[in-house]
Amino acid sequence: MSVRETVADVVIIGGGASGLSLAHALATSDDTGGLSGGSDRLSVALVEAPEGPLRPAERTWCFWEEAAGEFDDAVTASWRRMRVHGSDGQVFGGDLGPLRYKMIRSAGFERLVHTRLADLDHVRLLRATAHEVRATADGAEVRCTTADGLPAHVRGRIVYDSRPLPSLPPARTTLLQHFRGWFVRTRQPVFDPEVADLMDFRVPQPSHGLAFGYVLPLGPRDALVEYTLFSRAPLSRESYDRALRHYTADVLKLGELEIRDAEQGVIPMTDARFPRRAGAGVFRIGAASGATRPATGYTFSAARRQTRGIAAALCAGRGGAVPAPWSRRATAMDAVMLRALDTGRVDGPQFFSTLFRRTPPERLLRFLDGRTGLFEDLRIGFAVPMWPMLRTALELPFLPRRPVGASRTAVAQAPVTGVLLPHDPPPP
């Protein structure tokens, strides 16, 4: 059986947010000497899983940036204001200033990037399942199986792998952010399309961790409504749905509604150290390299920042090392927060409500994106419980890092459509 051979300067494995972002950044960069050794553009091979069980269902990615962005053509909706509802009913938040909180659906993002790459001679898309990455004398080789079952080898001087890790690295603390969301349509206009509700703590709280609602309006009658928990283990689908029925009916009081789609996922929140180099000429990018912010679960902005840094370095001929997605100060603060939350030293809803109440929304979003300075970080630090956080910070250096088992990444479930939902009792 003949083997299909493909050769490129750069090989990217995976067509998710980080893989597509890197392909887009490399394809649209200025001419470079880089790896190609001349003034020609770098050749890029993007290996994406074919349709089938290994290809993830559609996902939702949210992030914030200033009003205009390079992927605005794929943005489903955006919001200029945000709110947080405390468990006592108090509301915090306000205008985001020059920032906009944005939602992108993975299918729309993929279509946009594929369209922009389609007519570029130096970029090639391969539908194949990557099985193994081997070092070679001049780089690395990705061994794949095509959609029609044929073997294929893709060789490159450098390979970027965005596939999920088989297991998480050892950590001192690991929580899971797990959620289920409904895309709903109501009979009456009940949503404010200008306001995103990032955290609504008016839901029953678990004995460990925290729970909150999350509402992203897509129009006066349409929204993504999610039930999210930070805890050590996910729930059954039935438990999420009971919680969503309670939230939509008894807290939001939406009345009769139609569930037009659904998504469900699990995101590790961990202080594990993610190695960004996987071998000679092989690097990890995206969530597999630690791009997920441990304290929040947001990944999209960090993945884009990381891939832009890679493209800039390659174009300048400085090599292809992957930059750290977060600063050491940011990861240290997140490690303290995770440990304090996991031990119960801080009350989750009170912690986040206080943070949002005492910090202007624009500054807080820049902080969550790792774009604040030391002085701003200190000001935000004074907004949270001091002694529990200080005690936790002092003990962390003495805690061992332990294996935490298989990694879990956000995966949307199959769509659920055409379901009419009347009022239901709250979950037991």
Side-chain angles (χ1 to χ4, degrees), residues 294-310:
T296 66
Y298 286 103
T299 306
F300 191 79
S301 289
R304 288 176 59 200
R305 185 166 57 242
Q306 187 182 65
T307 55
R308 286 195 298 264
I310 293 169

Side-chain angles (χ1 to χ4, degrees), residues 30-52:
D30 294 334
D31 288 355
T32 173
L35 292 176
S36 59
S39 60
D40 297 332
R41 289 185 182 276
L42 293 169
S43 59
V44 178
L46 174 61
V47 181
E48 291 189 359
E51 296 297 332

